[in-house]
Amino acid sequence: MAKTPEIKAFVLAKCPRCRRGDMFQNSMYGFSSQKMHEHCPHCGMRYEIEPGYFYAAMYVGYAINVALAVGIGFLTYLITQEDKSPWIYIITILTASFLLAPLNFRYSRVILLYWLSPKIKYVAHYDEDK
């Protein structure tokens, strides 16, 4: 079996150790809240490495939100060329932030587990069918 590419597993929010098990129990956009599995359903890795581990994901989410606000603000300026009233920027940035909040929540945790956690490494022998 060929190993699962990291970028594919990252985009699909799969376990960083085996790249097979889902990290989340339900879809990103829906009526139920986003819930993470406590352990990977494929390899059994515990996602919350230590108590309060996902508080660090709030900082990652904050950085994503700032980048989003700057990008949306710049794009709004390019489209509207508005430089008198700040309301167009406030409305577009807040709307985009609200609509992309589930994506921000999910990928702040995925980024934390994949790229900002030195304890978690990909293990190739877990990347096989059971």
Side-chain angles (χ1 to χ4, degrees):
M1 177 82 196
K3 82 178 200 178
T4 307
E6 181 180 17
I7 193 71
K8 179 182 176 185
F10 175 85
V11 169
L12 296 174
K14 300 292 185 181
C15 172
R17 184 167 78 171
C18 68
R19 297 183 185 166
R20 292 291 181 109
D22 290 326
M23 289 174 60
F24 292 88
Q25 297 176 10
N26 46 16
S27 66
M28 191 178 329
Y29 287 96
F31 291 110
S32 60
S33 64
Q34 291 193 47
K35 292 189 171 129
M36 275 189 85
H37 289 287
E38 192 171 321
H39 297 277
C40 173
H42 186 78
C43 69
M45 181 184 106
R46 181 174 165 82
Y47 291 128
E48 190 170 9
I49 298 170
E50 53 200 32
Y53 178 73
F54 286 118
Y55 285 121
M58 291 189 306
Y59 296 106
V60 177
Y62 177 74
I64 292 170
N65 223 9
V66 168
L68 174 74
V70 169
I72 295 292
F74 185 69
L75 189 63
T76 302
Y77 176 76
L78 289 177
I79 292 170
T80 65
Q81 297 293 315
E82 175 66 47
D83 59 356
K84 304 258 189 286
S85 173
W87 289 107
I88 186 82
Y89 299 102
I90 292 170
I91 291 169
T92 55
I93 290 170
L94 288 178
T95 301
S97 294
F98 178 73
L99 292 175
L100 296 175
L103 183 120
N104 187 347
F105 173 81
R106 182 171 289 218
Y107 283 102
S108 64
R109 289 179 176 221
V110 173
I111 288 170
L112 181 66
L113 285 171
Y114 267 81
W115 296 327
L116 301 176
S117 298
K119 295 179 182 178
I120 300 174
K121 302 283 187 229
Y122 170 69
V123 181
H125 75 271
Y126 284 126
D127 192 5
E128 298 171 353
D129 291 327
K130 286 186 177 181

